[in-house]
Amino acid sequence: MTRPHRHAGILAAADRATGPLDCFSRASAGLRRLMRFDAAVWSATDPETGLVTAPMLVENLGSGEGCGAYWESELLEENVLPFRDLARAAVPVAGLRAATGDLPARSARFRRLLGGQGIDDELRAVLRVGGRPWGSVSLFRLRGAPAFGADDVALLAELSEPLADRLRRFAAPYEPAGGSGKSAPGLLLFDENGEATSINEEARAHLASLPDGPSTPSALGLPLPIWLVGTALQARAIAQGRDRGNARIRLRTRDGRWLSCRASSLSGSGGRPGPVVLVIEPATPADLALIVAQSYGLTPREFEIAQLVAQGLATSEIAEALFISPHTVRGHLKAVFGKAEVSSRGELVARLFAGSPAPRPAKVS
């Protein structure tokens, strides 16, 4: 029996999922029948920044109370196999013991967390499609189990793109119950040590709308979802020169609304990194344009053409701007219309750039 036939059942189960969390649950159950692992963490990621976002599925690791320390180590310490490197690797899957020559203590993550929890090996994967990460997974084996092998890596690598494709289909906007839910920005302040010190009422309201998931306790009297903690940690990592890019995620509330969360590090005395401020607010159509385009499977070129359509350019003007023929532009537009399920330029702009709701993407049989 070939490997594609082995994992066909996993993908068929994922096609029946009602959302990302259900997709993770079905994929994990199917994978467990093909590969031994004792615990797992599956998470959605923001396709632009690669940071973890909602939802997250934690299996056989308690209530996820160690997630805060796990992501702090991931973002602020020198580690083996960070997800940001796997996202760009030729093969987006690797095992800790194999990567360290069977010396996992070379990794700060193992020394600080995994070894003390009785974990002997971790197999990590980034679920990516079109060069963008839509999810991540960590599989763990306890002490006494064999290390993850080449066959395990190959199986998970072959699942990376198809599972990512299924995750991105759930990103298309649709009209949530209760309307758009417009509200003021919420603010959270973290001190230089990463402790949450201040919050406004708008932020409390936004936090109350988020789906259940791993969280960390805080001095504010409420637990903070790991996705927000991770975004604040990323801002610290950028300020410390450990990473580049943006500390931003988009995540969905329980009623289907999208929120945008972004963090930045303020300057402290002597030019040192200071407190981190995190802003939570309803996502604008501009915040979601790339995610929505990706959810419909638009290629980078197709999205580029859609952006020029939104600017009001005619077919001939788009062709001139991109140094391609008008015939090629029309071919791309036909493909874009089909993928976005629209029949005119106006509908396309409304769907991708003006927040026009759409039905949930159809599942593949």
Side-chain angles (χ1 to χ4, degrees):
M1 181 180 293
T2 63
R3 186 174 289 111
H5 290 158
R6 288 171 57 199
H7 69 230
I10 298 174
L11 300 181
D15 282 331
R16 297 191 294 271
T18 57
L21 190 61
D22 189 30
C23 183
F24 290 149
S25 181
R26 291 172 180 268
S28 193
L31 189 59
R32 195 180 294 274
R33 288 191 286 268
L34 302 178
M35 176 196 307
R36 173 182 172 175
F37 54 94
D38 300 300
V41 177
W42 298 75
S43 181
T45 57
D46 188 292
E48 286 193 79
T49 63
L51 296 177
V52 291
T53 185
M56 182 181 290
L57 175 68
V58 179
E59 296 182 320
N60 298 332
L61 288 172
S63 59
E65 59 273 7
C67 280
Y70 182 88
W71 291 107
E72 183 176 13
S73 177
E74 170 75 14
L75 296 170
L76 297 181
E77 296 181 333
E78 293 299 323
N79 265 300
V80 176
L81 303 175
F83 281 116
R84 62 177 173 270
D85 288 352
L86 277 180
R88 298 187 294 265
V91 177
V93 184
L96 179 60
R97 297 195 75 94
T100 59
D102 208 30
L103 294 172
R106 289 178 175 175
S107 168
R109 184 173 65 256
F110 184 88
R111 294 193 305 269
R112 180 180 174 186
L113 299 166
L114 302 184
Q117 295 175 332
I119 292 171
D120 209 41
D121 199 10
E122 177 184 12
L123 182 64
R124 289 185 150 200
V126 172
L127 309 180
R128 67 185 186 191
V129 61
R132 296 191 178 275
W134 287 88
S136 65
V137 57
S138 286
L139 306 177
F140 304 98
R141 283 181 177 172
L142 297 179
R143 193 163 293 125
F148 288 103
D151 190 61
D152 300 318
V153 170
L155 174 57
L156 199 51
E158 289 170 3
L159 287 168
S160 171
E161 183 171 330
L163 286 179
D165 180 60
R166 282 149 180 81
L167 289 175
R168 72 176 177 178
R169 296 177 200 165
F170 294 113
Y174 58 89
E175 188 64 45
S180 62
K182 298 295 183 184
S183 60
L187 298 176
L188 264 167
L189 189 67
F190 297 81
D191 66 17
E192 297 91 328
N193 300 314
E195 297 294 329
T197 57
S198 302
I199 186 171
N200 66 1
E201 290 306 311
E202 289 80 5
R204 290 182 183 272
H206 286 312
L207 291 180
S209 72
L210 297 182
D212 294 333
S215 61
T216 61
S218 76
L220 301 175
L222 76 168
L224 299 180
I226 196 62
W227 318 297
L228 303 190
V229 173
T231 306
L233 287 169
Q234 175 68 358
R236 290 176 62 195
I238 293 170
Q240 294 173 10
R242 293 180 175 274
D243 204 355
R244 299 186 180 91
N246 298 314
R248 182 178 73 148
I249 60 170
R250 278 65 57 94
L251 72 166
R252 221 164 202 161
T253 62
R254 286 193 299 271
D255 64 3
R257 293 178 294 112
W258 281 96
L259 296 177
S260 174
C261 307
R262 63 185 188 277
S264 60
S265 180
L266 306 179
S267 296
S269 60
R272 292 173 303 199
V276 169
V277 61
L278 185 140
V279 180
I280 314 169
E281 58 189 340
T284 66
D287 289 328
L288 299 176
L290 179 60
I291 285 182
V292 173
Q294 288 274 310
S295 76
Y296 289 113
L298 268 62
T299 66
R301 174 64 92 185
E302 289 168 351
F303 181 55
E304 188 176 23
I305 288 175
Q307 288 177 303
L308 295 176
V309 168
Q311 294 174 24
L313 272 64
T315 297
S316 59
E317 294 172 315
I318 295 174
E320 183 178 354
L322 299 181
F323 302 100
I324 57 178
S325 71
H327 176 73
T328 301
V329 173
R330 285 189 287 270
H332 282 306
L333 279 175
K334 181 178 179 181
V336 170
F337 284 5
K339 291 178 179 180
E341 303 174 27
V342 297
S343 57
S344 70
R345 292 184 174 215
E347 289 179 354
L348 176 66
V349 173
R351 174 91 14 116
L352 298 186
F353 304 103
S356 175
R360 295 176 187 265
K363 299 178 184 131
V364 176
S365 58

